[in-house]
RNA sequence: GGAGAGGUGACCGAGAUGGCUGAAGGUGCACGCCUGGAAAGCGUGUGUAUCCUAACCGGGUACCGAGGGUUCGAAUCCCUCCCUCUCCGCCA
């Protein structure tokens, strides 16, 4: 959430930023509420001050045996009006809060303005696209043919958009998870986390999924609990409502978790295969940093994610999301799009990672602060998150990029040790 | 699930019978003095938020797990919830 003071002092800037996002927001009611809040606060605090003083007097009078009943009667009225004004204040406060919590982060000045993903800015491409002397198949066909993916039976067990990996498929998915985690922990210096897969609404509000995107989440009936849509939620909230020491920064966390998304509003899109599932595996990176380092840390995080694709020898491109495609909490986001030769007519780049800097937007919501050496005031940290990578989509990309004419799939070199030396996935018997 | 105990500042720990306790005392930490240097010792300081204000000076208000209630007044009394711990039961 944005700082109310910042909004007041930079109203034009904020309005411009929101306009870039195509977010139509009425700030007048906010400013009105804020004025009302201040007025009420002053009134209440003056009355409270009075009450505190007179209460002391009452205590003294009683001690010395005087009759205080007249004063007490007067104070009853004061207390009643405090109570009355207090109700008004908390309603006003709540209105302000609800407003602040439902407006998105401001886009960074470097972010291109645009309506949708067609206006994202291409930053770079990496690797050479594979050449096939046959028509490359989509990963769902490869997976079903090799009997390592069984989406039909998953639909029987649960429903559409749930994965069922088998044999070398299950093994490959697990190999990818381990490979990614190992790379980030030993090579990139992240500390490994295994968080809860279910979180409460406070955590989701901290990262920005709530209150606006409830429909994207799976909620546990009868509980204030939700399945995580990404491990960004539990990891970012590790230090919620804490003041951490500056020497702890930057905090770098990585975790593997399954992710659960209702995909409301995406019916009919990517209906086949592993691209869009209600449950998918992801290795995630989260950083808490000082304000001055967050953008360089973002670039590093992007590089950490890219490294996985480079090691897997998968071609990709990097784009900067335009304002229309930018997520609610982010000020700037890089997407990594992996080459999927089996998609569309002649192959397509598909999103496999998203690395974002949220500045203090989430930190303010979640109350994540730090204190500099010797400093009096705590400051909000900056939070960043990025996929490193979406495992299911990586699995799909490997199938499509490493497929051979005879229907088998070669295993990328770096994964062979994770596959007990297996070099190729053949038809499972 | 049954039976108990408890949640106070960075930490430990006071706070029966409500009032001068934002919170004693200790530890830690910071700065200063002392020292050739260090330790010890001495002194001072040391929560967060918010409002008034030009002000990170000063003052007000709020916060003792969270939320309600009683009261002129609550860390202290009442209610609800959350969390932690111990024992029993049950179960991966």
């Amino acid at each position: 959430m944005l700082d109310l003071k910042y909004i007041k002092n930079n109203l034009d800037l904020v309005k411009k930023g929101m306009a870039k996002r195509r977010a139509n927001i009425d700030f007048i009611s906010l400013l009105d509420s804020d004025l009302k809040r201040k007025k009420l606060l002053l009134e209440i605090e003056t009355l409270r001050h009075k009450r505190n003083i007179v209460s002391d007097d009452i205590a003294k009078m009683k001690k010395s045996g005087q009759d205080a009943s007249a004063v007490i009667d007067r104070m009853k009225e004061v207390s009643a009006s405090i109570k009355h004004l207090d109700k008004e204040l908390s309603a006003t406060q709540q209105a302000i809060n609800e407003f602040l919590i439902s407006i998105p982060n401001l886009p960074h000045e470097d972010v291109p303005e645009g309506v949708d993903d067609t206006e994202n800015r291409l930053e770079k491409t990496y690797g050479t696209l594979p050449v096939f002397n046959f028509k490359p198949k989509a990963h769902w066909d490869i997976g079903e043919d090799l009997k390592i993916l069984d989406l039909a039976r998953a639909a029987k067990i649960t429903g559409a958009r749930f994965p069922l990996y088998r044999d070398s498929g299950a093994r490959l998915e697990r190999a990818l998870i381990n490979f990614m985690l190992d790379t980030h922990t030993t090579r990139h210096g992240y500390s490994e986390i295994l968080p809860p897969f279910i979180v409460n609404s406070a955590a989701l509000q901290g990262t920005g999924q709530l209150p606006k995107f409830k429909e994207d989440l799976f909620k546990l009936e009868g509980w204030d609990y939700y399945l995580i849509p990404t491990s960004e939620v539990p990891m970012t909230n590790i230090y919620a409502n804490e003041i951490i020491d500056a020497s702890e920064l930057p905090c770098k966390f990585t975790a593997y978790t399954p992710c659960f998304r209702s995909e409301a509003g995406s019916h009919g899109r990517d209906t086949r295969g592993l691209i869009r599932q209600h449950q998918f595996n992801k290795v995630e990176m989260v950083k808490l940093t000082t304000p001055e380092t967050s953008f360089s840390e973002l670039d590093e995080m992007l590089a950490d994610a890219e490294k996985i694709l480079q090691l897997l020898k998968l071609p990709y491109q990097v784009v900067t999301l335009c304002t229309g495609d930018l997520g609610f909490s982010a000020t700037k986001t890089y997407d990594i799009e992996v080459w999927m030769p089996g998609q569309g007519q002649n192959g397509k780049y598909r999103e496999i990672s998203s690395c974002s800097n949220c500045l203090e937007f989430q930190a303010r919501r979640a109350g994540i602060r730090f204190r500099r050496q010797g400093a009096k005031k705590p400051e909000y940290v900056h939070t960043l998150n990025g996929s490193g990578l979406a495992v299911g989509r990586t699995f799909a990309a490997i199938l499509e990029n490493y497929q051979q004419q005879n229907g088998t799939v070669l295993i990328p070199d770096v994964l062979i040790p994770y596959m007990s030396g297996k070099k190729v996935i053949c038809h499972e018997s």
Side-chain angles (χ1 to χ4, degrees):
Chain A
M1 104 182 123
L2 301 178
D3 182 14
L4 178 56
K5 274 188 193 149
Y6 180 86
I7 295 176
K8 283 190 288 186
N9 296 334
N10 304 275
L11 194 57
D12 283 345
L13 256 172
V14 172
K15 279 181 177 168
K16 267 182 203 153
M18 292 301 160
K20 278 188 192 169
R21 270 190 183 266
R22 308 295 188 269
N24 194 12
I25 291 157
D26 168 34
F27 285 96
I28 294 170
S29 64
L30 174 72
L31 301 180
D32 284 351
S33 298
D34 184 52
L35 281 176
K36 189 175 173 194
R37 179 185 128 262
K38 271 197 186 173
K39 189 174 146 272
L40 284 168
L41 201 58
L42 194 64
E43 251 178 289
I44 289 173
E45 292 193 345
T46 309
L47 287 174
R48 281 212 180 111
H49 181 49
K50 185 176 170 192
R51 185 178 71 183
N52 286 345
I53 288 171
V54 176
S55 288
D56 274 6
D57 292 345
I58 292 171
K60 280 174 196 153
M61 288 169 79
K62 284 202 163 177
K63 241 180 197 169
S64 62
Q66 297 176 55
D67 174 37
S69 54
V71 191
I72 287 175
D73 280 349
R74 243 177 42 227
M75 281 301 105
K76 273 185 188 171
E77 282 169 38
V78 173
S79 276
S81 49
I82 289 176
K83 199 173 258 183
H84 173 75
L85 291 169
D86 227 359
K87 273 200 179 123
E88 214 175 321
L89 177 66
S90 56
T92 311
Q93 192 79 60
Q94 202 187 331
I96 293 171
N97 217 21
E98 276 168 13
F99 180 97
L100 289 176
I101 214 155
S102 53
I103 58 173
N105 203 351
L106 292 169
H108 188 259
E109 55 183 17
D110 179 48
V111 170
E113 200 172 336
V115 182
D116 58 30
D117 58 2
T118 60
E119 295 184 77
N120 293 341
R121 184 212 295 148
L122 180 65
E123 301 294 345
K124 65 151 112 171
T125 58
Y126 178 94
T128 46
L129 304 187
V131 181
F132 298 93
N133 53 14
F134 58 95
K135 168 88 178 140
K137 295 191 284 187
H139 65 273
W140 50 83
D141 287 330
I142 303 167
E144 299 278 350
D145 289 349
L146 289 173
K147 293 191 165 49
I148 58 174
L149 264 185
D150 197 345
L151 301 179
R153 288 200 174 87
K156 180 174 69 179
I157 299 164
T158 309
R161 296 195 195 277
F162 282 86
L164 174 59
Y165 297 88
R166 305 180 69 151
D167 300 296
S168 296
R171 184 63 191 270
L172 178 61
E173 182 85 357
R174 180 158 61 89
L176 280 167
I177 292 165
N178 285 331
F179 162 66
M180 290 178 193
L181 280 177
D182 285 351
T183 305
H184 292 317
T185 53
T186 63
R187 194 165 173 161
H188 299 149
Y190 289 78
S191 65
E192 184 170 345
I193 304 291
L194 186 54
F197 299 165
I198 294 174
V199 293
N200 60 31
S201 56
L204 286 158
Q205 187 167 325
T207 37
Q209 282 79 12
L210 289 180
K212 281 197 85 175
F213 307 100
K214 195 167 195 279
E215 65 282 3
D216 295 333
L217 301 166
F218 284 113
K219 186 176 194 297
L220 270 65
E221 192 177 345
W223 296 74
D224 180 37
Y225 287 168
Y226 299 79
L227 300 181
I228 53 171
T230 159
S231 53
E232 168 200 344
V233 179
M235 278 199 286
T236 304
N237 278 286
I238 287 175
Y239 290 126
N241 300 312
E242 291 190 39
I243 300 172
I244 56 185
D245 198 89
S247 62
E248 304 270 328
L249 301 178
C251 288
K252 297 168 69 174
F253 298 130
T254 187
Y256 150 71
T257 68
C259 302
F260 303 91
R261 299 184 183 177
S262 76
E263 295 297 344
S266 59
H267 301 295
R269 286 174 64 193
D270 303 312
T271 48
R272 301 196 67 186
L274 294 172
I275 302 284
R276 195 173 301 278
Q277 300 269 297
H278 288 311
Q279 176 190 322
F280 62 96
N281 296 314
K282 185 152 62 78
V283 170
E284 180 80 0
M285 301 172 284
V286 160
K287 291 189 188 183
L288 311 180
T289 76
T290 55
E292 58 274 20
T293 58
S294 63
F295 279 103
S296 61
E297 293 286 353
L298 176 64
D299 289 343
E300 266 185 55
M301 181 181 272
L302 173 67
D304 294 339
E306 284 181 61
K307 193 76 197 175
I308 301 293
L309 288 171
Q310 291 167 8
L311 290 168
L312 291 170
K313 298 198 170 76
L314 291 169
Y316 64 86
Q317 64 181 25
V318 176
V319 300
T320 299
L321 296 192
C322 73
T323 51
D325 209 18
L326 199 59
F328 181 76
S329 299
T331 192
K332 180 176 180 178
T333 298
Y334 295 116
D335 267 12
I336 304 177
E337 300 175 340
V338 71
W339 178 246
M340 305 264 266
Q343 300 297 302
Q345 282 306 304
N346 301 301
K348 269 185 189 171
Y349 282 104
R350 297 303 308 252
E351 177 189 342
I352 198 166
S353 171
S354 202
C355 297
S356 304
N357 185 357
C358 300
L359 304 178
E360 58 175 54
F361 186 83
Q362 293 179 322
R364 189 180 292 282
R365 294 171 154 249
I368 313 164
R369 293 177 293 175
F370 77 103
R371 200 192 312 270
R372 294 179 198 272
Q373 177 81 38
K376 208 175 159 211
K377 283 254 170 202
E379 299 171 52
Y380 288 107
V381 301
H382 282 192
T383 63
L384 335 198
N385 63 78
S387 356
L389 310 161
V391 181
R393 289 185 181 182
T394 309
F395 180 103
I398 288 172
L399 259 49
E400 295 194 5
N401 283 277
Y402 281 83
Q403 63 180 300
Q404 302 183 92
Q405 187 150 26
N406 63 4
T408 62
V409 171
L410 294 177
I411 291 170
D413 290 343
V414 289
L415 292 181
I416 293 172
Y418 289 93
M419 297 287 290
S420 301
K422 196 181 184 79
K423 290 187 168 124
V424 56
I425 298 177
C426 304
H427 297 268
E428 298 287 342
S429 49

